[in-house]
């Protein structure tokens, strides 16, 4: 996996799409004021690592309930909660995206894309469950969870191996220079 990640970090072919996403992030979630709220100023460190726990926890709990008989309604509810919770997770992630270096943005583009694919599976799972097709809903949800796991690995690589925003905020050798709150 490290070789694949090194190739992803160096994949200049991704720069056009990564730059387009950065422009979009700057125009939406990266605006002054909103970026401060979503990124770190209120609590002193990036918010994204904290808010991703809601969707991931709900999706993992959905997987557990899907393995148990008679829990279809609870599983569907948790899946919907996790999917709704992914919206603030995406917003906080995009607010951080504007601060990333070019190699970090390449990996983050893959992270963002994988999250979008996972969300597609989760949305399709919700739709199947609401139609009463819980077997298909389970398959779609487990697939989405697998893709979300790959995405989480990529996000962890940005944060830890590449010293992304969370590491920089902790004073590690990250590349982001955060202005003081005063």
């Amino acid at each position: 996996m490290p070789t694949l990640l090194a190739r992803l970090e160096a994949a200049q072919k991704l720069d056009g799409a990564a730059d387009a996403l950065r422009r979009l992030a700057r125009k939406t979630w990266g605006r002054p004021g909103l970026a401060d709220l979503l990124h770190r100023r209120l609590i002193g460190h990036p918010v994204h690592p904290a808010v991703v726990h809601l969707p991931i926890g709900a999706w993992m709990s959905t997987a557990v309930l899907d393995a148990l008989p008679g829990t279809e309604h609870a599983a569907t509810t948790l899946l919907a909660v996790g999917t709704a919770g992914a919206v603030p997770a995406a917003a906080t992630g995009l607010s951080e995206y504007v601060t990333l270096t070019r190699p970090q943005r390449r990996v983050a583009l893959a992270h963002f894309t994988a999250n979008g694919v996972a969300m597609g599976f989760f949305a399709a799972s919700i739709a199947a469950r609401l139609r009463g097709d819980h077997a298909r809903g389970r398959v779609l949800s487990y697939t989405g969870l697998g893709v979300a796991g790959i995405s989480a690995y990529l996000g962890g690589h940005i944060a830890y191996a590449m010293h992304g925003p969370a590491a920089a905020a902790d004073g590690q050798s990250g590349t982001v220079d955060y202005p003081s709150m005063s």
Side-chain angles (χ1 to χ4, degrees):
M1 192 64 106
T3 302
L4 179 61
L5 290 172
R7 282 192 220 154
L8 184 58
E9 290 174 23
Q12 294 177 359
K13 291 180 181 181
L14 297 176
D15 289 347
D19 291 346
L21 182 57
R22 187 177 194 201
R23 285 188 300 274
L24 175 68
R26 270 196 175 142
K27 289 179 182 177
T28 55
W29 307 108
R31 294 188 316 249
L34 183 57
D36 293 341
L37 174 70
L38 295 175
H39 189 60
R40 74 176 273 288
R41 289 208 176 190
L42 291 180
I43 62 173
H45 61 79
V47 178
H48 184 68
V51 299
V52 299
H53 292 285
L54 172 66
I56 292 170
W59 294 331
M60 290 293 295
S61 298
T62 299
V64 171
L65 289 177
D66 277 343
L68 302 173
T71 60
E72 290 85 0
H73 179 73
T76 302
T77 301
L78 272 175
L79 182 60
V81 167
T83 304
V87 174
T92 57
L94 284 170
S95 76
E96 288 185 14
Y97 188 84
V98 300
T99 70
L100 301 177
T101 65
R102 188 169 291 281
Q104 290 169 337
R105 283 196 307 270
R106 292 171 185 147
V107 178
L109 177 66
H111 174 63
F112 180 80
T113 303
N115 280 331
V117 171
M119 287 295 295
F121 280 112
F122 292 132
S125 175
I126 292 168
R129 292 163 190 262
L130 292 177
R131 287 191 314 270
D133 191 350
H134 293 279
R136 178 181 293 267
R138 283 190 296 276
V139 169
L140 290 165
S141 181
Y142 284 133
T143 305
L145 186 59
V147 175
I150 292 167
S151 178
Y153 180 82
L154 293 170
H157 181 74
I158 296 163
Y160 297 107
M162 299 182 80
H163 304 288
D170 288 340
Q172 296 179 19
S173 60
T175 57
V176 180
D177 181 26
Y178 294 113
S180 77
M181 292 176 58
S182 53

